[in-house]
Every structure is written in structure tokens, then in C-alpha cells.
Amino acid sequence: MKKKSDHLPAPRREIEDLKPVHHGAPDHLELESLGLTPDQVLDFSVNSSPFGPSPRVRKVLQSVPLDRYPDREALQFRRLLSQRLDIEPDRILAGNGTAELLWLVSGAYLTSDSKVLVLQPTFGEYARSARWMGAEVIAWTARSEDHFQYHPEAISGLLTSQSFQIVYICNPNNPTGQLLAPQVISAWAAENPRTLFLIDEAYLAFTEEAPTMLNNPLANLLILRSMTKDYALAGLRLGYAVGSQEVISTIRKIRPPWNVNALAQAAGCAALQDASHLQESIQKIRLEKRFLVRSLKTHGFFPLPSAAHYFLLRVGNGAAFRTALLEDRIQVRDC
């Protein structure tokens, strides 16, 4: 254990108590201990497209000038998104992945007096980014015996009984694959106008025509989208937020300069201009999911229902099961 120096300023208590969140993707040190490299492992631990980015992305990256600062406003990327989504560019904010956007939202809206609601089990960065600002995290937890389905009435009761600064909703949820109907979320937001409802739609493209919240007119909705999942740009880190002009303007005030690098911006523009690659990849993923689920069932496993291309699987000792698979060069997540 490292000894604390008496000559350094003390960090905030919230940072002292902050715990890391375990995500998917290979741990290079772990693989090294097994004598493996990431290229030797079949990775089921992340939910990105396994078919890679559009060929246009690889081509455009070769021409990006590395000696120039990137456009700090990501104008071209935002304008292409604006055309694709039919949303004004000033309602769109680009980020270094949705993880950065989550931390920016916390910095803009949360204090040690704030209270947030997280519907879990879910992506761990919601709670972690809130705790960084000292906010109190209240959780509504879905149960495994219910296949992790939401209970809107119970959640409505929480919203009525307490005041929350932010409510985090991953839709479809990661890792359970459960969906909340847009009308349910809209009703909550309408009834709680002083609460910001953050809707993470990182995996919406993988569902069978699930409706988006992007065009909902309520000012207290903030939608996050990732370019790292469906467009397979995880190594470049790119995402965006869509919200009211007031909310986007507020978050922009604390955004670091040049937060989206030139390679990510160019890749995002190229990916958005190749709709056929995205559609073909999504169709193949849906077919492969059906094949995988059928195959697992023939071997006595029963994947839990999921609207997305990932799912939970009861295996008993999750940690031991994961380790055994990794030794066979297959990586999954212990949830």
C-alpha cells in the first residue's frame, strides 16, 4: 500500500472513495498472463459490431492531417448527423465516446446535494460519474427471477416520492437487453420537468425497429448515442448527445477543448455516409444472434430474453465459467 504524502494537497473525498467499473473488452495484462494476445481471442465481452467499420473509414483515415488541431466543434460531423436525424446542429454535441459525455453531464448538473436514480443492473459509469460529483445514487434494481424486466409502476413510485436531478436509463439496457416503451419514459419526464432524463440509446440500432426518443419535444430529455457499437469505431472513441439547446449549451461550457480528435471526426463522417454497410452488418448480427441462441439451447443453456444482440446466460459460477472459456480463447463478461 502506498503511503500518502504529507506534502501534497488532499484530493476530494468523493475521488478517494471512487471505485473502478469493470467493462468488457480484453484485459491485456490478463491475456499476457495466459500467453495470449487480443488477436487470438474471440471476444463476446463487448457489444460492438464484429464486422468492423465501413471500408470508407479506413480509406479516409489515411488522409487526415495529424499536424493540425481538430475542429473543436466537430462541425462537419454534427452537420451530417443533423441531416441524418433531422435535428438542428446546435442540439447535437460530439464527445469522446458516450463515457465522456456522461462525465460532462455530471459536471454540469450534479453537486453533493444532488440525488440521481439509476435503473440497474446497468452500465456502471452512470453511478460512477454521479458519485464523482458527490451525488447520492439511488438504485431501482430489476430481479433475475423476472428476467430483469422493468416495473414502471414501482419506478413511478420512486419518482413521485423523491426529487432526482438526473434519471439514467439505458434503452435497450446493457447488459439485460430490456426495453422501456418511449411513452413510459415520456410520461415520467412530463411529470418531472425539473429532472433531467438521460436516455442512453447506444444499442438501439441492434433492436428490431425499437422507436427512438430523439424527436421527443420535451426539454428535459437528453439522448446519448455511440458510434463505437453499431459503426464499430470503439478504438477511436466517438459519440454524441442530442438535447434541447439549453441543455446542450450548458454541457458545452465545461467540455474540454478539442475533445474529439481529427481521426474520430473523419471516421464518423465516413461511417455516416455508408448506410449500406451499417444495414448489412446489423442484418448479419441479427442472424448470428438467432443461430447462437438456438445452438446454446441445444446444449442445455437458456439465454434470457433480450431485445438487443446480447443477452444474459445463467451458468452457475460466472467467474469460473468465464475463466474456463478464456483459457479456450473465448472471452465473455461475468455479469
Side-chain angles (χ1 to χ4, degrees), residues 117-122 138-152 154-155 158 168 170 173-180 188 304-305 312 314 335:
L117 176 62
V118 178
L119 309 187
Q120 64 179 29
T122 193
I138 305 297
W140 181 87
T141 306
R143 300 184 302 177
S144 60
E145 53 266 37
D146 293 337
H147 291 173
F148 297 102
Q149 292 180 350
Y150 293 113
H151 291 280
I155 299 168
L158 261 179
Y168 298 89
C170 190
N173 188 39
N174 168 28
T176 66
Q178 294 298 311
L179 266 173
L180 265 171
W188 291 340
L304 297 186
L312 293 175
R314 289 192 178 96
C335 292

Side-chain angles (χ1 to χ4, degrees), residues 9-326:
R12 288 171 46 220
R13 179 183 57 80
E14 292 85 1
I15 296 177
E16 285 273 277
D17 298 336
L18 210 57
K19 301 291 191 298
V21 172
H22 298 287
H23 300 291
D27 180 327
H28 290 237
L29 282 176
E30 180 184 36
L31 293 184
E32 191 176 275
S33 71
L34 296 172
L36 299 172
T37 65
D39 292 339
Q40 295 174 309
V41 174
L42 189 60
D43 189 4
F44 282 87
S45 70
V46 294
N47 304 327
S48 301
S49 170
F51 298 111
S54 161
R56 295 189 189 187
V57 170
R58 301 183 189 281
K59 185 176 180 180
V60 77
L61 291 181
Q62 298 173 7
S63 61
V64 176
L66 302 182
D67 58 337
R68 292 187 208 156
Y69 280 96
D71 173 10
R72 71 186 72 200
E73 297 298 337
L75 282 174
Q76 185 181 2
F77 175 62
R78 287 169 49 231
R79 284 169 178 164
L80 282 170
L81 279 172
S82 173
Q83 295 168 12
R84 183 179 181 87
L85 305 174
D86 192 23
I87 290 172
E88 300 91 335
D90 58 1
R91 291 185 52 212
I92 302 172
L93 181 67
N96 181 27
T98 53
E100 182 199 38
L101 293 167
L102 284 170
W103 287 70
L104 290 178
V105 171
S106 293
Y109 283 97
L110 298 180
T111 69
S112 58
D113 296 324
S114 303
K115 191 181 293 186
V116 305
L117 176 62
V118 178
L119 309 187
Q120 64 179 29
T122 193
F123 185 48
E125 294 297 336
Y126 305 143
R128 186 167 181 259
S129 64
R131 290 191 176 105
W132 166 62
M133 295 304 298
E136 180 183 359
V137 177
I138 305 297
W140 181 87
T141 306
R143 300 184 302 177
S144 60
E145 53 266 37
D146 293 337
H147 291 173
F148 297 102
Q149 292 180 350
Y150 293 113
H151 291 280
E153 320 80 39
I155 299 168
S156 295
L158 261 179
L159 292 171
T160 301
S161 64
Q162 302 186 54
S163 296
F164 297 102
Q165 186 78 354
I166 301 178
V167 175
Y168 298 89
I169 302 172
C170 190
N171 208 40
N173 188 39
N174 168 28
T176 66
Q178 294 298 311
L179 266 173
L180 265 171
Q183 55 267 32
V184 172
I185 301 174
S186 294
W188 291 340
E191 292 164 3
N192 299 273
R194 297 185 64 82
T195 298
L196 182 66
F197 285 77
L198 189 149
I199 316 301
D200 186 347
E201 293 188 348
Y203 301 104
L204 195 75
F206 298 103
T207 65
E208 301 277 356
E209 299 181 1
T212 178
M213 301 288 293
L214 279 175
N215 296 306
N216 191 295
L218 291 171
N220 60 330
L221 288 175
L222 181 67
I223 314 303
L224 298 191
R225 288 282 188 87
S226 171
M227 297 286 290
T228 66
K229 317 301 184 201
D230 41 0
Y231 289 98
L233 300 179
L236 290 172
R237 311 301 306 136
L238 182 61
Y240 59 94
V242 176
S244 68
Q245 292 179 6
E246 181 180 354
V247 170
I248 293 298
S249 175
T250 298
I251 302 169
R252 185 180 283 119
K253 290 176 182 177
I254 63 167
R255 174 195 56 181
W258 307 292
N259 64 319
V260 180
N261 69 70
L263 292 168
Q265 291 186 39
C269 291
L272 288 171
Q273 292 172 312
D274 192 355
S276 61
H277 177 78
L278 174 64
Q279 292 166 1
E280 291 167 7
S281 297
I282 295 295
Q283 288 301 322
K284 286 190 284 188
I285 288 170
R286 289 172 181 167
L287 289 173
E288 293 297 338
K289 179 199 172 183
R290 294 179 192 126
F291 171 78
L292 179 59
V293 168
R294 286 197 306 268
S295 300
L296 286 168
K297 287 180 177 178
T298 64
H299 287 82
F301 293 101
F302 297 97
L304 297 186
S306 167
H309 60 307
Y310 49 85
F311 48 82
L312 293 175
L313 189 70
R314 289 192 178 96
V315 295
N317 188 326
F321 194 85
R322 175 191 175 276
T323 299
L325 282 179
L326 189 56

